[in-house]
Amino acid sequence: MKIPRKTAALLLAPVLALSLTACGGGEPAQDEGGAQAAGIAVQVETVVQDTIATENKVSGKISADNEAVIMIASTAKCTAVYFEAGDQVEAGDVLCTLELGSALSNYNAARIGYNGAVQSYNDQKAVLDKQVQLAADNVSNTKALFEIGAASQLEVDQAELNYSNAVAGRNSALSQLESSIQSAKSGLAQLDTALENVDADGNVIAPMAGTLVTMSAVENSFISNSMPLAVIDGPDQMKVSVSVSEALVPKLTIGAAADVYVSAIDESFSAVIRSVEQAANVQTRLYTVTLTVPAEVGGLLSGMFADVTFFTDVSQNAVVVPTESILTSGGSQYVFVVENDTARYLEVSTGLTGNGVTEVTSGLTAGQQLVTVGQAYLHEGDPVRVVSGEG
């Protein structure tokens, strides 16, 4: 018998449905007994108490804890170079030789000027002190004569006036001479600093042993006095220097730890705050913070960049949850927890935020089962099934 086309289609429909089910298309989850499992699939974790702190990340630089920076007084020509950047040097090694005729002449002239100012001060002081002493003696003698009637009160007053004038004249003259000395001394000190590592023959001497990390001298080329000629890192441990804002300074404590990451060597370590400057840089208005690098950390070189994370506003024994588990709606923050396979809506208040975690200050307690995956699909009272991550 021929079956009508419409009737054949109706007979085939259940067969196709069974076939799709057998292939797994859209089949609901089943429990271990084969029964269909109800509820929205979620992942949970047990709420715990922990320590959390605000993270403040800033950039800084690595440098040697004992570093020697060699400058020169004026632009000069380099006639010979004996070491290159990266070399190990000893204290007293000749790094290079410079033609410093004019600089040395200026230095000698400055020293002669300073010595001359000191000598002039001493000579003038001796003369003026003698004049003051003579005026003081005259006052004493005139008063003695006045006592026996051999001098008048007017003569006593004049003697005392002469003494006062002598003292004022001496102090004024010595003050001017002291200003000349200080000016000469300042100029000499600058040249002393700029030439403290250069001998009379123009040889630049290494002041300490270590690694020559910078060497700008090139044979038969001129060297500028606006940048270091050489920088030597000592063999001791390194340090990290960073600049922070005035808002962060009061929250930093000497001896506190901070996390440091140096991308150049892909190294992370903990460093300790050694000092926090209390005066801001005039140009940047930032404050310098120095951290000591542990001696066991190797591979660091001066000039490497470092990411430093300071931890402030620490809260201990706080309820800490993954930040992504907290949802927001209409200015309210809330989470879902699982109780008896049912989703429960809880409004929460939050505090500090750390690395992917947030402090919950109210609305949640330790031990509850917090939904960490799937919470965006839940409503109060929804049946749920925990598929993984159950605490």
Side-chain angles (χ1 to χ4, degrees), residues 192-217:
D192 266 336
T193 300
L195 292 172
E196 64 179 346
N197 299 304
V198 182
D199 64 16
D201 297 321
N203 294 317
V204 179
I205 310 299
M208 59 181 284
T211 303
L212 188 63
V213 295
T214 299
M215 183 62 168
S216 62

Side-chain angles (χ1 to χ4, degrees), residues 43-360:
Q43 293 182 9
V44 301
E45 67 176 47
T46 302
V47 177
V48 298
Q49 289 182 304
D50 202 350
T51 298
I52 188 173
T54 300
E55 297 183 1
N56 307 269
K57 183 176 288 187
V58 294
S59 295
K61 277 191 176 183
I62 303 291
S63 62
D65 212 7
N66 55 332
E67 182 181 72
V69 179
I70 301 174
M71 304 287 292
I72 60 172
S74 62
T75 301
K77 184 179 181 180
C78 176
T79 58
V81 178
Y82 309 107
F83 290 92
E84 297 179 350
D87 290 346
Q88 296 295 313
V89 298
E90 298 295 330
D93 283 347
V94 178
L95 304 179
C96 62
T97 302
L98 308 175
E99 288 182 354
L100 288 174
S102 60
L104 292 174
S105 297
N106 293 337
Y107 177 78
N108 292 332
R111 178 161 291 282
I112 292 172
Y114 172 73
N115 291 337
V118 171
Q119 186 62 48
S120 177
Y121 175 88
N122 292 333
D123 292 344
Q124 289 294 318
K125 186 176 186 300
V127 172
L128 295 170
D129 284 346
K130 187 175 182 179
Q131 291 176 351
V132 169
Q133 186 59 50
L134 289 174
D137 292 343
N138 186 48
V139 170
S140 297
N141 294 334
T142 303
K143 286 183 176 180
L145 292 173
F146 175 78
E147 293 293 333
I148 62 175
S152 65
Q153 182 62 50
L154 180 63
E155 289 174 313
V156 172
D157 293 341
Q158 186 62 50
E160 290 179 338
L161 178 61
N162 291 340
Y163 171 75
S164 297
N165 289 339
V167 172
R170 179 194 64 179
N171 292 344
S172 176
L174 292 181
S175 178
Q176 293 180 8
L177 291 171
E178 286 174 353
S179 296
S180 298
I181 289 176
Q182 290 303 319
S183 178
K185 185 178 181 180
S186 176
L188 181 62
Q190 291 179 359
L191 291 170
D192 266 336
T193 300
L195 292 172
E196 64 179 346
N197 299 304
V198 182
D199 64 16
D201 297 321
N203 294 317
V204 179
I205 310 299
M208 59 181 284
T211 303
L212 188 63
V213 295
T214 299
M215 183 62 168
S216 62
V218 177
E219 191 170 340
N220 295 322
S221 296
F222 282 87
I223 299 171
S224 171
N225 62 344
S226 62
M227 61 181 296
L229 182 150
V231 176
I232 301 173
D233 279 356
D236 296 335
Q237 64 188 42
M238 310 293 279
K239 64 182 180 181
V240 184
S241 298
V242 299
S243 297
V244 304
S245 67
E246 61 181 6
L248 186 56
V249 169
K251 300 178 180 180
L252 301 181
T253 304
I254 294 175
D259 286 349
V260 180
Y261 174 69
V262 182
S263 59
I265 59 172
D266 192 23
E267 182 77 20
S268 296
F269 53 88
S270 179
V272 175
I273 298 175
R274 177 199 305 175
S275 64
V276 180
E277 286 191 357
Q278 298 303 305
N281 180 282
V282 177
Q283 284 77 32
T284 64
R285 305 305 303 167
L286 298 175
Y287 297 77
T288 300
V289 179
T290 303
L291 304 96
T292 298
V293 175
E296 62 270 17
V297 178
L300 298 176
L301 297 175
S302 287
M304 287 183 174
F305 290 97
D307 291 325
V308 180
T309 302
F310 296 104
F311 301 95
T312 60
D313 306 314
V314 178
S315 180
Q316 297 180 338
N317 297 320
V319 173
V320 179
V321 303
T323 301
E324 68 269 15
S325 68
I326 302 174
L327 303 174
T328 303
S329 177
S332 298
Q333 293 179 299
Y334 62 96
V335 297
F336 282 97
V337 297
V338 174
E339 296 179 358
N340 300 321
D341 296 327
T342 302
R344 295 303 180 194
Y345 169 96
L346 298 178
E347 286 196 3
V348 296
S349 298
T350 58
L352 303 179
T353 299
N355 184 19
V357 294
T358 297
E359 175 190 19
V360 175

